[in-house]
Amino acid sequence: MLEVVFLGVGEAFDEKNPNTSILIRIQEKGAETNILLDCGFSAVPQVWKEIPDPEEIDSIWISHFHGDHFMGVPPLLVRYWEEGRKKPITIMGQKGIKAKITDAMEIAYPGFTERLNFPVEFVEIEPGEEIYFRDNKLRSAENEHSRRDLALRIDSGDIAIFYSGDGRPTQETKNLAQNSTLLIHESFRFEKEIPGHGTVLGSMSMARDTGSERLALVHIQRDERQKVIERLKPIQYVKGIYQILVPENMERLIL
Ligand SMILES: [Zn+2]
Ligand SMILES: [Zn+2]
């Protein structure tokens, strides 16, 4: 069984919705694997609400180095230190992930990296690489964004989840997203093209072109989110091809 929890669905500076951050809970053969997708500055309290147990998160994927996607990692790790975590944690992302997280830790809580009483392991997943985290296959592809952003695909049994991070789709991300069970895409504006960002219409085309079963729109511009919800209400299913949803914070999906 695989559960997706949309801990936060907001963009960087939204006062109502915490930064986009998604928890993937995978249950297999009696064991549970918890992977967190992005952890921004306003997302981290959502993580604590959903998963108060300091041992439960196994891995964090960071799509790119904008604060609303990775600045929640230092407080998360330091709270785990406070609460006596012992289990290793794996932080995954693009080339340079270790240096960036170490720097962020040093700025936020100097000297704490050495004091953590649990191992922090770093794994780079560059486009073209295939990494296994337990039984789950992970691959990445580069989006078009103002900072280098990698979209992630997780294959777990016959379920495939694609998460864009921030950015406009590229041919590479479309290739990676083929036949996803769930396509989670940043959709900053409804239709207005902004360099380096996705749109609702672009995400809908991507879901159709990739043969994805469900599309979840996240990271919608704060003044546009309500309008997007209103405009999409009557649609929900696009020509019977895929289901479209605009998840709320803490909304869950069982796949
Ligand atoms: Zn962002
Ligand atoms: Zn960004």
Side-chain angles (χ1 to χ4, degrees):
M1 194 193 79
L2 194 150
E3 185 181 26
V4 179
V5 187
F6 294 91
L7 300 173
V9 295
E11 40 109 326
F13 314 119
D14 188 326
E15 74 279 18
K16 294 193 199 84
N17 298 289
N19 305 145
T20 293
S21 177
I22 299 140
L23 175 68
I24 310 292
R25 283 184 184 276
I26 303 164
Q27 272 163 1
E28 246 183 346
K29 299 168 201 150
E32 189 167 281
T33 301
N34 288 303
I35 304 174
L36 183 65
L37 306 180
D38 280 339
C39 187
F41 40 76
S42 68
V44 66
Q46 299 293 97
V47 181
W48 295 325
K49 275 181 221 158
E50 173 66 21
I51 319 147
D53 183 337
E55 303 275 337
E56 247 186 77
I57 293 274
D58 300 289
S59 175
I60 308 171
W61 162 259
I62 300 296
S63 63
H64 68 299
F65 304 126
H66 272 149
D68 56 314
H69 295 261
F70 86 108
M71 282 296 195
V73 174
L76 189 71
L77 296 183
V78 176
R79 177 160 160 158
Y80 287 163
W81 166 80
E82 239 187 38
E83 294 182 342
R85 180 179 174 120
K86 292 278 179 284
K87 208 171 88 174
I89 193 163
T90 303
I91 303 183
M92 309 182 289
Q94 59 184 270
K95 207 157 32 105
I97 180 81
K98 182 177 180 178
K100 194 61 80 176
I101 297 296
T102 308
D103 287 354
M105 278 292 285
E106 207 42 42
I107 290 166
Y109 300 100
F112 263 85
T113 304
E114 296 77 46
R115 294 176 64 188
L116 297 178
N117 33 13
F118 54 92
V120 181
E121 288 152 10
F122 292 92
V123 174
E124 294 180 352
I125 310 179
E126 280 291 313
E129 292 176 341
E130 226 178 74
I131 301 285
Y132 278 84
F133 187 74
R134 303 200 177 148
D135 287 335
N136 312 292
K137 184 166 78 175
L138 278 65
R139 287 174 287 164
S140 74
E142 193 168 340
N143 250 323
E144 187 203 310
H145 190 50
S146 56
R147 294 217 74 174
R148 184 169 185 257
D149 173 281
L150 296 184
L152 180 74
R153 178 185 175 115
I154 304 175
D155 283 283
S156 177
D158 53 5
I159 296 171
I161 292 176
F162 174 94
Y163 169 57
S164 63
D166 283 358
R168 208 199 304 240
T170 58
Q171 193 52 52
E172 292 80 63
T173 64
K174 284 182 185 167
N175 293 344
L176 187 70
Q178 288 300 314
N179 303 314
S180 305
T181 315
L182 175 66
L183 180 80
I184 306 169
H185 214 289
E186 185 249 13
S187 305
F188 197 58
R189 308 304 293 261
F190 193 87
E191 58 205 334
K192 187 170 181 244
E193 292 287 342
I194 296 192
H197 278 291
T199 60
V200 170
L201 295 185
S203 300
M204 288 170 75
S205 306
M206 180 154 175
R208 187 195 57 222
D209 296 347
T210 56
S212 297
E213 288 172 31
R214 290 188 199 194
L215 168 66
L217 306 170
V218 295
H219 205 289
I220 300 168
Q221 200 276 340
R222 57 190 179 278
D223 299 322
E224 226 168 283
R225 185 177 151 82
Q226 202 46 44
K227 288 176 220 152
V228 168
I229 292 171
E230 293 301 319
R231 283 179 82 170
L232 293 182
K233 237 181 214 162
I235 302 180
Q236 291 196 1
Y237 285 89
V238 177
K239 292 182 189 153
I241 302 172
Y242 62 87
Q243 186 189 12
I244 184 163
L245 39 134
V246 185
E248 296 292 337
N249 306 306
M250 292 296 188
E251 191 166 328
R252 295 152 192 279
L253 270 183
I254 306 271
L255 298 177

